[in-house]
Amino acid sequence: MVTNAELAGRFEEFADLLEADEVEYKPRAYRRAAENVRAFPVPIADRVEAGDEDVLQEIDGVGDAIAGKIVEYVETGEIEELEALKEELPIDIADLTRIEGVGPKTAGKLYRELGIETLDDLEEAAEAGEIQEVKGFGPKTEENIRENLEFARQVGQRQLLGEGRPLADDVLAFLESLDAVERVEVAGSIRRWRETIGDVDVLAGTEAGEDVVEAFVDWESVDAEIESGPSKASVRVGEIRVDLRVVVPGEFGAALQYFTGSKDHNVRLRNYAIDREMKLNEYGAFDVSDVEDHESDQRVGERVAGETEAGMYEALGLPWIPPELREDRGEIDAAEAGELPDLLTREDVRGDLHTHTEWSDGNTSIEPMVDAAEALGYDYYAVADHAEGPGIVGGVGLSEDELLEQAERIREIDANREITVLAGVEANVDAEGEIGLSADVIDALDVIVASPHSALSQDAETATERLVRAVENPAVDVLGHPSGRLLNERSGLDFDVTRLARAAADSGTALEVNSDPRRLDLWGSAVQATLEEGATIAIDTDAHQPATLEFVRWGIHTARRGWAEPADVINCWDLEDLQAFLH
């Protein structure tokens, strides 16, 4: 099955290779097409395979040439022009550009100068001191490459949550359609909503395990069978591995708890059980108080739970612990004390404070974005297009005159809408922590998001000082994507979360959970540390088109991983309280 994410990946690869080949203009067109393909609300390949190529006309940024390439890829599994470009530039562009400071143009230059095609080639050249000899490079760049090689190798083995979870939803829908399946749920890291996953784990409860495994392997979306047996199977769907395990319905709850993890949570929970003369495993919860040797048999003792996951916790006198919390960060102690957080839900979110339009690098005008926000039932919505500044590629940042002009236009739109439309900006936090906005612009706007976009390789002390200076600026309402990381692409800033959160709490500045699945920045443990210091967060989408306002799903679950309740999230507040918080 060719997914939208896979199609988007091919066009991102196209854009990177064109940029590496120093082709102008075309890379931006392919990147825009990739973004819109990724966010398109229906599976494009399914429509094309059904003969409905008209669907391609509905995708912004997809003209006849790119539409033809989509059809070619769906029908043949490759794009001839892309394959020719890969022969001309035989570099592993995705791996090389995961190195901080190595973009497509740099990768192209290293290939032309040193013949570097892979991470191994890059490491060999760096260790030999050859990179610093290339014009435009130096010892510092070479050292940075050496330091980031391990990161690049590790992230290349994992998928983004935003790519794996939609596939997981499709797998669940398919298995639920089978009469023999009584219960089905995802497990593993994807159920805990980690930002990246190794594969998609699915658990099915059924009395006809072999039949369900056979149906799963024969599912039309499966591209390749990896392995299968009476109770489990692994397949490849697109570029993602999916692992299915079947269990009898009476043991479904125990297996779900066991295979959801995390490992650290399960170890702590099993030890908690042992202290109470109980035994937990994938088959159930067993009272072993009267059993001398309870290690010889997994099912030894009196089975007291296992059909439901909640029952596994209840057997220990604990409330059910939401999957997002199961990382051994105090959740079992909190459950025992009756102090688990009342986690926020989708219904708690009342607006979005960080979005973009075609005024900067978004893909549509203000009105369709407002329409989409209204359709989501929001009370308020903010346009926060880029201001000029370092790290804003392609000259898309707005001048101060343009920001003032846009603010006037937003006021006009707001006057004719039920939803409150706020005028904002995404200012740039420069290397020293300044945001570069005049008092006139600050006074004209409702909300100021300030985000780092450049100098992302600073040391932790410098980065922390920089971000603290930004949140202490009285004009800044929200510190956007604080690390500037791009998952599987760059690690971003390393900083002291506790110190930053303390400064944010003192200054009345919210730290953002950027919901773009490529960012998810802040992440779960950082959110938890932020809330422990008394600071607030904002869950924003950084949407560049109407469909990506739905990214809020990823931000909500990321915030839940950080123990966030509605009161902790400024865009869960009513408009009056939000406006009192803003600058």
Side-chain angles (χ1 to χ4, degrees):
M1 178 177 72
V2 177
T3 64
N4 290 359
E6 184 178 345
L7 280 169
R10 296 292 75 76
F11 290 123
E12 287 162 349
E13 183 181 21
F14 221 136
D16 285 346
L17 287 171
L18 287 169
E19 191 173 335
D21 204 29
E22 299 185 343
V23 175
E24 295 185 4
Y25 309 118
K26 276 189 176 183
R28 179 170 173 77
Y30 278 107
R31 293 193 202 288
R32 183 184 179 197
E35 183 177 2
N36 293 334
V37 164
R38 188 184 300 276
F40 200 67
V42 300
I44 296 167
D46 288 356
R47 297 277 290 272
V48 171
E49 287 175 344
D52 180 16
E53 295 183 13
D54 290 344
V55 68
L56 303 176
Q57 299 175 13
E58 302 174 23
I59 309 172
D60 290 338
V62 173
D64 291 342
I66 292 179
K69 290 178 174 61
I70 290 175
V71 173
E72 181 185 0
Y73 189 77
V74 170
E75 292 180 347
T76 70
E78 62 179 35
I79 300 170
E80 185 177 352
E81 189 176 336
L82 176 57
E83 296 304 312
L85 187 56
K86 287 161 71 173
E87 286 187 16
E88 180 183 339
L89 275 174
I91 56 179
D92 195 332
I93 194 72
D95 276 358
L96 292 175
T97 54
R98 289 189 181 106
I99 298 288
E100 183 71 37
V102 177
K105 288 184 178 179
T106 301
K109 185 172 185 178
L110 289 173
Y111 170 71
R112 286 186 290 272
E113 295 288 336
L114 300 175
I116 290 172
E117 299 180 9
T118 67
L119 285 175
D120 288 343
D121 295 341
L122 188 65
E123 182 175 29
E124 186 178 338
E127 295 296 338
E130 296 174 350
I131 292 174
Q132 62 181 289
E133 301 300 326
V134 177
K135 185 178 180 180
F137 293 77
K140 187 175 181 179
T141 301
E142 192 170 71
E143 177 62 23
N144 179 69
I145 287 172
R146 280 197 294 266
E147 290 177 353
N148 281 276
L149 277 163
E150 183 178 355
F151 167 81
R153 288 195 170 101
Q154 288 178 347
V155 301
Q157 300 172 11
R158 299 186 65 82
Q159 299 284 339
L160 299 184
L161 173 67
E163 296 174 353
R165 182 70 206 209
L167 171 58
D169 293 340
D170 291 342
V171 175
L172 291 178
F174 169 72
L175 291 171
E176 286 170 350
S177 73
L178 301 179
D179 292 338
V181 174
E182 298 182 27
R183 301 171 67 184
V184 62
E185 183 57 275
V186 292
S189 57
I190 202 166
R191 186 167 181 241
R192 302 197 313 275
W193 298 84
R194 283 195 59 182
E195 58 262 39
T196 62
I197 61 168
D199 47 39
V200 172
D201 295 307
V202 183
L203 188 70
T206 177
E207 298 287 0
E210 292 190 35
D211 292 342
V212 171
V213 167
E214 183 178 351
F216 172 67
V217 171
D218 291 339
W219 182 31
E220 62 181 8
S221 296
V222 169
D223 293 306
E225 176 184 338
I226 299 171
E227 59 182 345
S228 65
S231 63
K232 58 185 178 180
S234 297
V235 300
R236 183 175 58 79
V237 180
E239 299 175 337
I240 301 177
R241 176 179 172 132
V242 183
D243 293 333
L244 169 69
R245 183 180 296 267
V246 295
V247 299
V248 295
E251 295 177 349
F252 183 85
L256 184 60
Q257 192 285 320
Y258 181 86
F259 289 112
T260 293
S262 66
K263 179 181 178 181
D264 291 340
H265 172 84
N266 282 356
V267 168
R268 182 65 61 90
L269 192 66
R270 286 200 299 272
N271 289 335
Y272 187 90
I274 290 169
D275 291 342
R276 287 152 183 81
E277 297 186 291
M278 297 284 292
K279 176 176 180 174
L280 296 187
N281 55 40
E282 62 190 277
Y283 306 108
F286 300 87
D287 182 342
V288 293
S289 58
D290 295 328
V291 180
E292 291 186 10
D293 180 13
H294 54 76
E295 297 298 330
S296 59
D297 185 348
Q298 290 282 64
R299 292 182 171 89
V300 73
E302 180 188 357
R303 187 173 185 269
V304 296
E307 185 173 352
T308 68
E309 187 180 56
M312 295 290 288
Y313 289 94
E314 289 169 3
L316 301 177
L318 299 174
W320 178 78
I321 299 176
E324 296 97 325
L325 302 187
R326 300 181 198 174
E327 300 290 350
D328 191 25
R329 295 202 303 263
E331 68 275 9
I332 294 174
D333 290 341
E336 183 180 31
E339 297 175 353
L340 285 175
D342 183 13
L343 299 179
L344 83 154
T345 67
R346 174 68 184 82
E347 290 70 28
D348 294 315
V349 178
R350 298 190 178 198
D352 198 325
L353 303 177
H354 178 181
T355 69
H356 297 275
T357 75
E358 63 185 10
W359 281 67
S360 64
D361 62 341
N363 295 329
T364 190
S365 60
I366 299 172
E367 290 88 340
M369 297 296 288
V370 175
D371 290 341
E374 283 187 321
L376 291 174
Y378 285 161
D379 298 332
Y380 44 83
Y381 165 81
V383 175
D385 274 318
H386 288 287
E388 293 176 329
I392 303 304
V393 180
V396 297
L398 303 184
S399 67
E400 296 217 328
D401 286 343
E402 289 170 326
L403 287 170
L404 294 172
E405 179 186 350
Q406 186 189 60
E408 290 182 9
R409 177 60 187 144
I410 290 170
R411 305 295 179 215
E412 294 171 1
I413 294 171
D414 174 59
N416 295 297
R417 297 282 189 152
E418 291 188 13
I419 188 174
T420 298
V421 187
L422 302 173
V425 66
E426 184 181 12
N428 304 287
V429 177
D430 68 18
E432 285 72 45
E434 302 298 328
I435 65 169
L437 295 178
S438 71
D440 288 344
V441 168
I442 292 169
D443 290 343
L445 300 178
D446 302 306
V447 55
I448 294 177
V449 179
S451 310
H453 294 98
S454 61
L456 299 180
S457 58
Q458 290 176 320
D459 64 78
E461 179 64 25
T462 303
T464 303
E465 292 285 352
R466 168 191 186 180
L467 297 179
V468 166
R469 191 172 298 118
V471 300
E472 289 178 343
N473 186 322
V476 175
D477 302 306
V478 179
L479 181 67
H481 51 72
S483 79
R485 75 178 186 179
L486 290 175
L487 291 166
N488 287 1
E489 296 180 43
R490 68 184 184 214
S491 55
L493 294 171
D494 183 17
F495 58 89
D496 184 333
V497 176
T498 298
R499 185 176 164 200
L500 176 63
R502 193 174 299 132
D506 291 343
S507 304
T509 303
L511 304 185
E512 183 181 71
V513 175
N514 189 293
S515 303
D516 186 319
R518 293 185 167 189
R519 292 190 183 274
L520 298 183
D521 177 14
L522 295 171
W523 48 95
S525 60
V527 171
Q528 187 175 6
T530 295
L531 302 184
E532 287 173 351
E533 294 302 318
T536 55
I537 62 171
I539 300 173
D540 299 322
T541 62
D542 204 350
H544 284 60
Q545 57 183 301
T548 51
L549 288 175
E550 296 287 356
F551 283 172
V552 69
R553 179 190 194 192
W554 318 120
I556 288 168
H557 284 284
T558 298
R560 285 169 61 94
R561 284 177 57 79
W563 299 47
E565 299 182 343
D568 301 316
V569 185
I570 63 171
N571 53 307
C572 288
W573 301 353
D574 63 33
L575 179 62
E576 183 178 355
D577 287 341
L578 175 69
Q579 289 177 322
F581 176 88
L582 298 177
H583 72 278

